[in-house]
Amino acid sequence: MTQVDPKNIIDQADDLLKDINQANLKFIDKTNQINTAINQSFQAVNQLNKELEKEEFDALEEMDGQILEYLEENEK
Amino acid sequence: MRERIKQEFDDEDDDLIGSSESGEPSISGSETDEKVHLRDILNSAENNSSQGLSQDEVDLLLAAVTNADSGAGLLEISPELERPADISGADKKPLFINPLRERAERLLLRPRSSNQEIRELLDSLDQEAQAKATEAPDLIESSENFANKQLTALGGGAEVEPIKMELQEARNELLGTTSDAQDEFDRVAQEAANHVAKNNLEDEPVPSVVLDLDKFVAEEKVPAKGDSEPAESEAYKLFKELHGIDEVDEQPIANPEIIPIDPEMSDLDLGGFDTSKEVESPVDGTKVEIPLRSQKNVGIFNRLGTEAKRIYTDLTFKSQGRREINRGQKMLEKSEDKAYALNKDLAKSDDKIEELKDKLTNIDEMLGKFGEGLKIKEKRAIYKSRQDLDKKIKSEEKTKESLALKLEIEETNKVKLQEGIESAMGRLDLAINERIKPYKEEVAKLEINRGSLVEEKENFEAIVGDFESRLAGLRDQMANLDEVNLPVKAKKSFQAVLNRKIKDIESALKISQKNISKLEDNIVRVNGRLNKEDARLGKWEGIRGDLKETAQKKEEKAREEISRGFVPRERAESAEEIEDVREFSAGDYLDKWNSISKNDSMLLDKKLIMASKGELTLKKLEGIIKTTRFRGLSERQLKKKIKEKTDLLRAHFGIH
């Protein structure tokens, strides 16, 4: 059996921990880039949707007003 | 027993010490040669300042200096330099101002090279060890001899057995301790030698802290802390230093945080205050709230009568959700239906008036023809009928006026409603058109990024799997560590280091798994939000589609009106009727003319007119009618009647 070198095992352990740390950092970095882009897109669609909902609300408010005024005139 | 043995050896030691003291040559006895030798040593050392004193030379100097204290050394006190007698109670030791002594002291104090220092120390230790190495066995042998003598004197009876056992135990203990001490000494000596060789301490000044070997003899302390790592022993610190395991290799575990995906926004709250109204549901009669969206609208609603409120509520319930935007169109259709109904009533009223007028004309004609031959009674009856007809005509004309006014109001209101709704819907349509393209682009980006997240997750899972395999490999290697040929303490130190590193690796892998989990949560959230965005996009596209459809219908209707004139239509018209309305029919026209002319003798010959050559357009028919000789009417009457009837028929057929 090949003689085990404790120092070599320690070096392997150090390398493995270093690789895991690097991989974690790289993964988080890449993932966070994508997550940031996704959040930006969601913010953009939220803003667009907010504007459209405001326009819809205003349109419905005006329409409701027109209908109510029409009904009021017809009663006169 | 032990105390007795110890006392024996103490006595022996004293003897030994006494003999060594007495065994040393009296320096004063051969002082001339030794003094010369000492002077030579001093001269040599002072001349060659780069070289240090050897240990022998140091010993000699020390002995010389020491013995000078007792007055028996080489360095005699000069009588003339005796301490003055006026120092009362003070140390009676002589003053050492002998120049040789001074020189010896200076040389002793001069730093020697550390390498030489350590070598000499090791040599002295070695000598000491060799001396001591035999000491313990000698001690044991002496103690055994002594014990045996004593036991023999006691006669070997039963009382000697416990004594024998105790003696045996003491022997074993002494031998064991000696063996351990020997091992420890060998190890430290080797490490010290390696340290010197590694760090190449030649010709360097001796550090202020001399290598204190006593430190390495002390037991390794076991830490009493809780979960924290054990305190490092001095042996472990040196071990780390020798094997390059130092603080630099202690890697921090990276624990980066993953950014979460933003949660959904709450719905837009556009009402600053309550603008809803509680009404009765037309479906089940329960109380429900309907949105009115502004205080102005709430005010108008509150002023409405019951019927109007009912119409509005009904409209709201039938157009909920996405169909809410179609409420305006539905209201317009109701308005058109109302206008159509009014038109129809107006036409009926007209017909009625004509009918009554025809009757009146007939009466007038009768009176004109036969008036003189009639009896008074008959005349009265006729006059009465005439008055009744007049009244009816007037009443009907009032009704007609009222209907015409209502129609006018309805038309005006309808136009205003239409303009308002078209304006609102037009702005909404424009807003959607402006934003739908960037909206779709962002949703497309989201789809792509979502795919990227899934891909990242899968890739990282594979990488983590590989790390876990490597960790398993490390553990396998650690299991074979026992077979390594190393001292026990070294093995323990390696094990401790490796265990700590394995823990760190496991912690780092836990962080990896935690981040994969967080990413999965993020992907689920993205999926949910994408579905919501699809629904929102669908809503806006649907509204845009509805608005387009409404606009198209309006265009089609306008085209129809231009081509055929206004044709008020029934909402529930049959297909046949719709078809008739779409095309102008001369036969229908003639039928209608005759139906309104039954009482005034202005009938037309349908067969004859239909047999006319060429197409019977409206204009041609009206021309034929103008030139028909209708009997019993003056020119003024003819003109007036024909105009009234043709206008009525135009209105009926939606021709302007």
Side-chain angles (χ1 to χ4, degrees), chain B residues 399-565:
Chain B
T399 304
K400 182 185 165 183
E401 270 177 30
S402 168
L403 283 171
L405 186 64
K406 278 185 184 174
L407 183 61
E408 190 183 337
I409 291 169
E410 184 59 40
E411 289 288 340
T412 307
N413 288 345
K414 191 188 84 173
V415 165
K416 191 182 167 197
L417 176 67
Q418 188 159 7
E419 283 173 1
I421 286 169
E422 281 176 3
S423 166
M425 294 304 109
R427 278 202 302 278
L428 180 59
D429 190 40
L430 187 66
I432 292 173
N433 280 335
E434 279 175 357
R435 288 167 181 82
I436 203 83
K437 189 180 170 199
Y439 205 127
K440 283 184 177 176
E441 283 169 2
E442 288 297 338
V443 171
K445 271 192 225 172
L446 281 165
E447 292 279 4
I448 292 169
N449 282 330
R450 182 205 156 275
S452 299
L453 278 183
V454 172
E455 199 181 323
E456 277 298 314
K457 173 182 145 339
E458 287 169 358
N459 289 343
F460 191 61
E461 277 173 338
I463 290 169
V464 168
D466 178 55
F467 289 152
E468 281 167 353
S469 300
R470 282 167 67 180
L471 179 61
L474 274 177
R475 286 204 176 103
D476 290 342
Q477 289 180 67
M478 275 176 68
N480 297 327
L481 207 57
D482 285 337
E483 296 171 17
V484 176
N485 186 18
L486 272 180
V488 171
K489 290 218 174 182
K491 261 191 212 174
K492 280 186 182 174
S493 295
F494 269 117
Q495 199 76 43
V497 167
L498 283 168
N499 284 339
R500 199 170 69 240
K501 288 193 183 287
I502 294 290
K503 257 190 181 177
D504 287 348
I505 290 167
E506 286 170 347
S507 297
L509 282 172
K510 264 190 190 165
I511 289 166
S512 302
Q513 289 298 343
K514 181 190 82 176
N515 284 331
I516 288 172
S517 251
K518 279 191 178 172
L519 179 55
E520 282 175 348
D521 292 342
N522 275 353
I523 291 170
V524 169
R525 183 170 274 181
V526 169
N527 286 343
R529 290 196 65 185
L530 268 174
N531 288 342
K532 184 164 181 180
E533 294 311 322
D534 282 344
R536 279 173 170 177
L537 210 53
K539 172 190 168 183
W540 299 121
E541 287 189 307
I543 289 172
R544 193 170 68 152
D546 288 348
L547 294 174
K548 262 190 187 161
E549 197 181 316
T550 305
Q552 275 173 0
K553 277 183 185 171
K554 190 185 164 199
E555 281 174 15
E556 283 172 5
K557 187 179 169 184
R559 278 198 293 273
E560 284 174 8
E561 287 173 6
I562 289 165
S563 64
R564 294 187 291 106

Side-chain angles (χ1 to χ4, degrees), chain A residues 2-17:
Chain A
T2 310
Q3 186 76 339
V4 174
D5 179 9
K7 184 72 170 64
N8 182 251
I9 302 176
I10 288 173
D11 288 342
Q12 286 179 52
D14 284 340
D15 288 343
L16 178 54
L17 182 60

Side-chain angles (χ1 to χ4, degrees), chain B residues 13-239:
Chain B
D13 265 339
D14 291 339
D15 289 339
L16 281 170
I17 289 167
S19 66
S20 80
E21 278 186 342
S22 60
E24 278 185 2
S26 170
I27 293 168
S28 57
S30 55
E31 56 185 341
T32 304
D33 291 338
E34 287 191 25
K35 238 187 177 173
V36 167
H37 182 53
L38 180 60
R39 202 172 279 113
D40 288 341
I41 292 169
L42 289 173
N43 287 337
S44 169
E46 283 167 357
N47 290 335
N48 299 313
S49 60
S50 61
Q51 286 184 3
L53 293 168
S54 70
Q55 190 58 42
D56 289 339
E57 289 164 349
V58 168
D59 291 341
L60 195 57
L61 284 173
L62 275 172
V65 169
T66 306
N67 289 329
D69 285 344
S70 61
L74 287 170
L75 306 173
E76 292 174 346
I77 302 163
S78 172
E80 61 269 25
L81 296 174
E82 232 177 53
R83 181 181 286 275
D86 58 349
I87 299 174
S88 58
D91 187 357
K92 294 293 183 187
K93 281 187 183 171
L95 294 173
F96 300 119
I97 56 173
N98 187 300
L100 278 179
R101 183 186 168 91
E102 282 181 10
R103 287 167 68 192
E105 284 178 344
R106 270 203 301 276
L107 283 168
L108 283 169
L109 289 172
R110 190 175 71 186
R112 293 175 290 154
S113 75
S114 58
N115 191 27
Q116 191 176 21
E117 184 85 9
I118 290 170
R119 281 210 190 90
E120 287 170 3
L121 202 57
L122 288 173
D123 288 340
S124 71
L125 281 171
D126 198 37
Q127 285 166 11
E128 200 178 307
Q130 282 170 8
K132 295 288 183 190
T134 55
E135 204 173 274
D138 291 343
L139 187 65
I140 292 166
E141 194 181 337
S142 305
S143 69
E144 277 183 340
N145 292 338
F146 180 77
N148 285 335
K149 272 189 213 170
Q150 299 299 322
L151 287 171
T152 308
L154 284 171
E159 62 272 24
V160 306
E161 290 304 320
I163 298 170
K164 278 186 184 174
M165 282 174 63
E166 208 176 321
L167 186 65
Q168 188 63 33
E169 280 174 18
R171 180 177 184 278
N172 291 340
E173 194 181 318
L174 206 55
L175 281 172
T177 306
T178 307
S179 173
D180 286 346
Q182 183 64 44
D183 288 343
E184 187 62 27
F185 175 76
D186 288 342
R187 184 188 69 78
V188 169
Q190 180 60 41
E191 284 169 359
N194 292 341
H195 178 74
V196 169
K198 182 182 173 185
N199 291 288
N200 194 21
L201 298 175
E202 299 284 343
D203 298 329
E204 282 185 15
V206 175
S208 58
V209 176
V210 179
L211 193 64
D212 181 7
L213 290 176
D214 289 337
K215 285 198 293 186
F216 301 103
V217 179
E219 283 292 320
E220 201 169 281
K221 290 175 188 171
V222 177
K225 294 181 198 173
D227 292 333
S228 59
E229 292 177 357
E232 292 178 347
S233 65
E234 295 298 335
Y236 178 64
K237 281 182 185 167
L238 179 62
F239 171 80

Side-chain angles (χ1 to χ4, degrees), chain B residues 180-316:
Chain B
D180 286 346
Q182 183 64 44
D183 288 343
E184 187 62 27
F185 175 76
D186 288 342
R187 184 188 69 78
V188 169
Q190 180 60 41
E191 284 169 359
N194 292 341
H195 178 74
V196 169
K198 182 182 173 185
N199 291 288
N200 194 21
L201 298 175
E202 299 284 343
D203 298 329
E204 282 185 15
V206 175
S208 58
V209 176
V210 179
L211 193 64
D212 181 7
L213 290 176
D214 289 337
K215 285 198 293 186
F216 301 103
V217 179
E219 283 292 320
E220 201 169 281
K221 290 175 188 171
V222 177
K225 294 181 198 173
D227 292 333
S228 59
E229 292 177 357
E232 292 178 347
S233 65
E234 295 298 335
Y236 178 64
K237 281 182 185 167
L238 179 62
F239 171 80
K240 279 203 309 182
E241 191 182 337
L242 290 175
H243 291 272
I245 304 167
D246 54 20
E247 291 304 321
V248 174
D249 286 336
E250 297 296 326
Q251 301 181 60
I253 300 169
N255 188 7
E257 285 293 316
I258 197 164
I259 298 173
I261 298 294
D262 294 338
E264 286 182 22
M265 266 175 35
S266 55
D267 289 339
L268 192 64
D269 181 17
L270 293 161
F273 35 77
D274 185 21
T275 51
S276 302
K277 206 67 191 165
E278 196 177 75
V279 295
E280 208 174 276
S281 165
V283 178
D284 53 10
T286 55
K287 293 286 182 190
V288 289
E289 285 201 349
I290 55 170
L292 292 170
R293 295 184 174 91
S294 72
Q295 278 301 313
K296 181 188 168 192
N297 291 350
V298 170
I300 300 171
F301 185 86
N302 287 338
R303 291 196 295 270
L304 288 178
T306 311
E307 182 56 23
K309 278 182 183 169
R310 188 198 62 78
I311 292 171
Y312 186 84
T313 306
D314 203 43
L315 194 67
T316 303

Side-chain angles (χ1 to χ4, degrees), chain B residues 503-654:
Chain B
K503 257 190 181 177
D504 287 348
I505 290 167
E506 286 170 347
S507 297
L509 282 172
K510 264 190 190 165
I511 289 166
S512 302
Q513 289 298 343
K514 181 190 82 176
N515 284 331
I516 288 172
S517 251
K518 279 191 178 172
L519 179 55
E520 282 175 348
D521 292 342
N522 275 353
I523 291 170
V524 169
R525 183 170 274 181
V526 169
N527 286 343
R529 290 196 65 185
L530 268 174
N531 288 342
K532 184 164 181 180
E533 294 311 322
D534 282 344
R536 279 173 170 177
L537 210 53
K539 172 190 168 183
W540 299 121
E541 287 189 307
I543 289 172
R544 193 170 68 152
D546 288 348
L547 294 174
K548 262 190 187 161
E549 197 181 316
T550 305
Q552 275 173 0
K553 277 183 185 171
K554 190 185 164 199
E555 281 174 15
E556 283 172 5
K557 187 179 169 184
R559 278 198 293 273
E560 284 174 8
E561 287 173 6
I562 289 165
S563 64
R564 294 187 291 106
F566 175 68
V567 178
R569 60 187 82 176
E570 293 283 354
R571 289 285 156 238
E573 278 172 342
S574 65
E576 191 181 355
E577 284 178 342
I578 290 170
E579 197 179 329
D580 288 341
V581 164
R582 285 187 191 143
E583 293 176 11
F584 171 71
S585 167
D588 290 342
Y589 189 93
L590 292 169
D591 286 339
K592 189 66 184 173
W593 175 277
N594 286 334
S595 73
I596 62 173
S597 304
K598 287 174 187 173
N599 300 321
D600 59 8
S601 310
M602 289 179 76
L603 294 171
L604 295 169
D605 189 345
K606 183 181 173 183
K607 276 184 185 175
L608 186 66
I609 296 171
M610 290 298 284
S612 303
K613 287 182 184 176
E615 190 186 348
L616 281 172
T617 61
L618 179 67
K619 193 176 175 181
K620 191 169 181 183
L621 274 173
E622 285 179 349
I624 291 170
I625 291 166
K626 260 182 191 175
T627 56
T628 302
R629 186 167 173 212
F630 297 107
R631 304 250 180 211
L633 295 168
S634 66
E635 183 181 350
R636 187 184 63 82
Q637 283 175 327
L638 277 170
K639 278 182 184 176
K640 187 182 170 200
K641 274 193 179 279
I642 288 169
K643 186 167 185 328
E644 280 177 359
K645 285 187 179 181
T646 53
D647 284 347
L648 196 62
L649 282 171
R650 273 178 178 249
H652 177 75
F653 286 104

